[in-house]
Amino acid sequence: MSAAGQDIALKGSRITRFVIYTVLIVFAIFYLLPLYVMLTNSLKPLEEIRGGGMLSLPKVWTLEPWRAAWSHAQIGVSPTGLKPFFINSIMMVVPAVVLSTFMGAMNGYVLTKWSFRGSGVVFGLLLLACFIPFQIVLIPMARILGLIGLAGTTWGLVLVHTIYGLGFTTLFFRNYYAAFPTELVRAAQIDGASFFQIFWRILAPSSAPIVVVTVIWQFTNVWNDFLFGVSFADFDSIPMTVALNNLVNSSTGVKEYNVHFAGAILAALPTLVVYIVSGRYFVRGLMAGAVKG
Amino acid sequence: MARLKIDNLRKSYGPVEVLKGIDLEIEDGGFLVLVGPSGCGKSTLLNCIAGLEDISGGDILIGERSVTGLHPSKRDIAMVFQSYALYPNMTVEKNISFGMEIRGMPRAAREAAINEVADMLQIRELLKRKPSQLSGGQRQRVAMGRALVRDPQVFLFDEPLSNLDAKLRVDMRTEIKRLHQRMGTTIVYVTHDQIEALTLATKIAVLKDGELLQFGTPDQIYNDPVNMFVADFMGSPSMNLLPATVVEDGGALMVSLAGHEGDMLLPAPESAAMRALLGRQVIFGIRPEAFTDPQGADRTTGQIEKRTCFVDVVEPAGSDTFAVVNLGGKSAVARLRADAQIAPGAVTELAFNMSKAVFFDPASQARVQ
């Protein structure tokens, strides 16, 4: 009786597993298809794409589209390739991520461990920043950037992204530090540690998971931003996303689809690398903040 | 080492007053225990002494110096937290030396201090470990070690034993007492466990709802409670508090309790306050150990009264036997010798040690003397 029951259970679970795996594989193929199309077509000469067969593998393998996209494709008016814009983006993303992460950590530290009268309201206002649509602030922001002399510079973009990121980074760190035992802070106070000593010696060493979450979040958002880049950047501060658009939308000459594909992959590469390197901490960190906070 | 004086201390959070004018004083080398139910303000009071909370009124003096408004690190105190609050990213050694490092003490002096404390608390082999690799008792020791290296004027303990299992708690209690005897430093200790309070303290302060109900030696708190709350809170099993009526019998004041067969009369002390309650209700309080079998009764006192009682339930507890008796319409607990011959459902003679009896006014809950 029990043996028969076990057989049925086993058979049932095997069928379920088969169904689950089939569905998963189908979905994986579905989601990987665009990447496949981009990769294969970026490795073909242009004639092959024109000849149709987007889904077929290249007959002649070539890296020329990648070279073109990187160093000599026509972007807007000059044949510079994406390289200078890639560097622009890096120059913008790294300070913006570092600054917004650090300031978010400070905000979270103060809001949870040094809470003051009205700190709840301050936190609420900071959270509101997460819900303000980008478009609303474009004109006031352009005015302010002009007034402080940062219009059209990379540092202007850094400022915009830092301020915009603050709502989210504060939320992440506040939730994480809310679960951090306040008694540790009090013990450190009695030990005589100062405001910053407590932060660097006690809280910071335990913050790795939430720092990873914040860095991934901010890096992805700032790197992928198009609107602020297209609105506030001058020619020498244009970020990658805007340059990619200019590459694809160049109105003169032939449409070099293989170069476009290579450029698109180049633009997506850094966020992909960040995810692959630290992605496994992402969910863990998010959960830590969410469950305990 | 110094005395600690708390003078009319007030603390409010907005309109909510959590400490309503506390006056306390503990002599140099004393062991003050703050005890009370959850939410009575005892931890807030400790945090005020530590400087972790600002006070709304009154003053705190350590030695002869007012510490009001001083930063916690400037008050010359050390604190042991309920959760131990060991820095998770540092080894035991670093945990102990962190405060000294912040104060800029030279390395050699730090190491000497660590070694001394490690030997005193027998944690030398733990020095290189992280707090997560320690057991509860070991963490407790390390937390005490961190406090000890400061060599402060006053030690503050915030429910340090409440996270330990029952057996370890008893061991650590003894260890804290031994430490106090050896160091002779003034200690303020918060607990909700009345046994811890009675065993450790030289002075106990019983708090309730932000008010100091009684402040005295363990003996005063236990034998002379000022009101029904203190009487009920201290002692385990707690004091029997039985409704009775004050009557006069042949010129002497008596209390009359509802017994198993009609009313039972017991002598009451002659006093103006008692006489004022003549004919009215009074709460008769007697501790289980003063209500026992006639053979086990304290023979040194001349005020043993024997009465027959109906035994409802018998609970042998190894060292004692507890009998639940119907008295005054309530269940009263009597503490008998372990081998007292007693059966549930029997009517038997029990002895009341009236020198230990106390009386309360049921309306105000205050003691009637």
Side-chain angles (χ1 to χ4, degrees):
Chain A
M1 157 84 210
S2 73
Q6 211 170 21
D7 270 357
I8 291 165
L10 269 179
K11 206 184 275 174
S13 84
R14 224 174 273 152
I15 292 168
T16 326
R17 278 191 172 265
F18 180 75
V19 172
I20 289 172
Y21 277 114
T22 310
V23 171
L24 285 178
I25 288 166
V26 167
F27 271 99
I29 291 171
F30 181 74
Y31 280 108
L32 282 172
L33 206 59
L35 185 67
Y36 167 81
V37 170
M38 284 171 74
L39 259 179
T40 48
N41 286 302
S42 73
L43 295 166
K44 286 176 192 170
L46 192 57
E47 298 77 53
E48 263 186 57
I49 301 177
R50 284 220 200 90
M54 290 270 279
L55 289 175
S56 58
L57 284 170
K59 290 189 195 75
V60 183
W61 294 79
T62 171
L63 281 174
E64 188 45 39
W66 285 78
R67 251 176 247 124
W70 182 246
S71 54
H72 54 78
Q74 187 82 16
I75 311 281
V77 288
S78 46
T80 55
L82 288 169
K83 186 175 154 195
F85 307 102
F86 189 89
I87 292 166
N88 281 347
S89 265
I90 295 281
M91 299 296 282
M92 168 187 76
V93 169
V94 172
V97 169
V98 170
L99 281 173
S100 60
T101 303
F102 176 72
M103 288 167 75
M106 275 294 153
N107 284 346
Y109 171 48
V110 171
L111 286 171
T112 53
K113 304 304 172 202
W114 299 85
S115 58
F116 46 91
R117 187 183 289 266
S119 55
V121 176
V122 171
F123 178 56
L125 289 175
L126 275 167
L127 266 193
L128 218 58
C130 304
F131 303 109
I132 299 175
F134 281 19
Q135 294 82 346
I136 287 181
V137 297
L138 282 183
I139 292 172
M141 185 59 88
R143 174 93 179 113
I144 289 172
L145 286 177
L147 282 177
I148 58 178
L150 286 177
T153 64
T154 300
W155 283 105
L157 285 174
V158 168
L159 177 73
V160 174
H161 284 300
T162 304
I163 292 171
Y164 234 106
L166 224 58
F168 282 102
T169 56
T170 302
L171 172 68
F172 290 153
F173 277 98
R174 197 210 76 105
N175 284 355
Y176 189 77
Y177 289 151
F180 191 87
T182 304
E183 283 198 343
L184 286 175
V185 176
R186 299 191 144 180
Q189 271 180 283
I190 289 179
D191 273 339
S194 67
F195 178 86
F196 284 104
Q197 275 172 327
I198 294 174
F199 179 76
W200 288 115
R201 301 284 302 271
I202 311 292
L203 272 86
S206 307
S207 304
I210 201 67
V211 168
V212 169
V213 169
T214 312
V215 165
I216 291 181
W217 175 269
Q218 278 301 94
F219 189 96
T220 316
N221 274 349
V222 177
W223 184 274
N224 286 340
D225 165 71
F226 181 77
L227 188 63
F228 286 151
V230 82
S231 311
F232 300 135
D234 260 350
F235 186 73
D236 53 0
S237 60
I238 284 175
M240 190 69 172
T241 44
V242 178
L244 180 66
N245 171 68
N246 294 350
L247 168 72
V248 175
N249 285 342
S250 285
S251 45
T252 53
V254 279
K255 291 261 180 204
E256 295 178 299
Y257 291 113
N258 51 356
V259 176
H260 299 174
F261 280 128
I265 295 173
L266 279 173
L269 216 50
T271 48
L272 213 61
V273 168
V274 167
Y275 263 113
I276 290 167
V277 169
S278 49
R280 64 201 176 98
Y281 295 102
F282 187 71
V283 178
R284 212 184 293 167
L286 267 187
M287 293 307 290
V291 176
K292 290 184 203 153
Chain B
M1 279 183 274
R3 77 195 179 102
L4 171 76
K5 189 168 189 293
I6 292 163
D7 186 18
N8 193 25
L9 182 73
R10 290 174 182 281
K11 167 77 187 167
S12 12
Y13 294 107
V16 187
E17 206 171 25
V18 290
L19 293 175
K20 303 166 182 166
I22 307 282
D23 286 297
L24 284 175
E25 185 167 359
I26 185 79
E27 72 286 358
D28 185 5
F31 198 128
L32 168 65
V33 173
L34 307 174
V35 69
S38 314
C40 69
K42 55 191 190 297
S43 285
T44 310
L45 177 55
L46 195 75
N47 285 338
C48 287
I49 299 172
L52 298 169
E53 304 258 15
D54 291 330
I55 61 176
S56 314
D59 202 3
I60 299 167
L61 291 103
I62 294 175
E64 300 307 318
R65 184 173 66 127
S66 166
V67 295
T68 308
L70 274 184
H71 189 268
S73 62
K74 304 265 186 331
R75 297 189 175 202
D76 212 355
I77 48 146
M79 188 155 170
V80 176
F81 292 87
Q82 183 172 8
S83 66
Y84 319 132
L86 300 177
Y87 310 127
N89 53 307
M90 301 182 198
T91 60
V92 167
E93 194 174 11
K94 286 269 179 201
N95 259 287
I96 294 174
S97 71
F98 183 71
M100 297 187 282
E101 197 187 321
I102 297 285
R103 288 195 298 279
M105 199 187 265
R107 176 178 288 272
R110 288 199 318 246
E111 273 169 10
I114 292 170
N115 284 331
E116 191 188 330
V117 165
D119 285 339
M120 188 189 291
L121 294 170
Q122 295 155 19
I123 51 173
R124 182 171 282 285
E125 67 283 3
L126 307 178
L127 286 178
K128 300 291 176 207
R129 291 205 211 159
K130 289 276 181 73
S132 57
Q133 298 163 308
L134 303 179
S135 69
Q138 289 169 332
R139 284 179 207 185
Q140 176 67 60
R141 267 170 220 269
V142 174
M144 290 205 296
R146 191 171 62 180
L148 282 175
V149 286
R150 292 212 63 173
D151 191 20
Q153 302 279 352
V154 179
F155 278 115
L156 307 175
F157 286 85
D158 188 5
E159 307 209 20
L161 305 183
S162 57
N163 286 350
L164 300 177
D165 61 63
K167 174 146 173 37
L168 201 52
R169 197 178 304 164
V170 175
D171 293 346
M172 290 307 288
R173 198 168 73 200
T174 313
E175 198 151 322
I176 290 176
K177 185 140 191 168
R178 187 178 296 132
L179 211 60
H180 176 242
Q181 280 166 3
R182 178 151 33 141
M183 312 271 300
T185 311
T186 314
I187 291 182
V188 182
Y189 186 106
V190 164
T191 182
H192 59 260
D193 180 348
Q194 45 85 25
I195 306 247
E196 259 173 48
L198 290 168
T199 47
L200 291 170
T202 59
K203 282 283 186 69
I204 295 177
V206 184
L207 288 102
K208 190 196 175 205
D209 298 334
E211 278 175 285
L212 181 62
L213 294 186
Q214 190 172 4
F215 178 50
T217 62
D219 177 61
Q220 282 168 340
I221 300 278
Y222 190 76
N223 292 316
D224 272 324
V226 295
N227 61 24
M228 277 169 67
F229 178 82
V230 177
D232 186 47
F233 190 76
M234 304 302 286
S236 172
S238 55
M239 184 187 273
N240 299 305
L241 295 166
L242 310 166
T245 317
V246 185
V247 295
E248 196 167 22
D249 185 49
L253 280 179
M254 303 287 248
V255 286
S256 159
L257 286 99
H260 71 288
E261 42 184 20
D263 288 353
M264 170 195 292
L265 286 182
L266 286 165
E270 182 64 49
S271 75
M274 236 8 219
R275 193 158 279 281
L277 287 171
L278 188 59
R280 306 239 301 273
Q281 254 221 336
V282 72
I283 300 291
F284 168 62
I286 188 148
R287 294 215 177 265
E289 66 269 22
F291 177 30
T292 182
D293 53 307
Q295 293 76 29
D298 184 359
R299 283 161 216 282
T300 58
T301 168
Q303 299 184 51
I304 300 292
E305 297 288 333
K306 293 174 189 166
R307 299 286 185 275
T308 55
C309 302
F310 175 77
V311 177
D312 195 12
V313 181
V314 174
E315 296 171 341
S319 59
D320 303 285
T321 299
F322 293 101
V324 180
V325 175
N326 284 330
L327 255 187
K330 282 190 153 188
S331 294
V333 177
R335 184 177 201 155
L336 279 53
R337 289 174 302 132
D339 47 1
Q341 293 306 312
I342 190 163
V347 173
T348 186
E349 190 169 61
L350 291 173
F352 293 81
N353 180 354
M354 294 308 289
S355 66
K356 295 277 188 186
V358 286
F359 299 91
F360 301 97
D361 182 340
S364 68
Q365 307 227 320
R367 178 85 176 271
V368 179
Q369 273 180 318

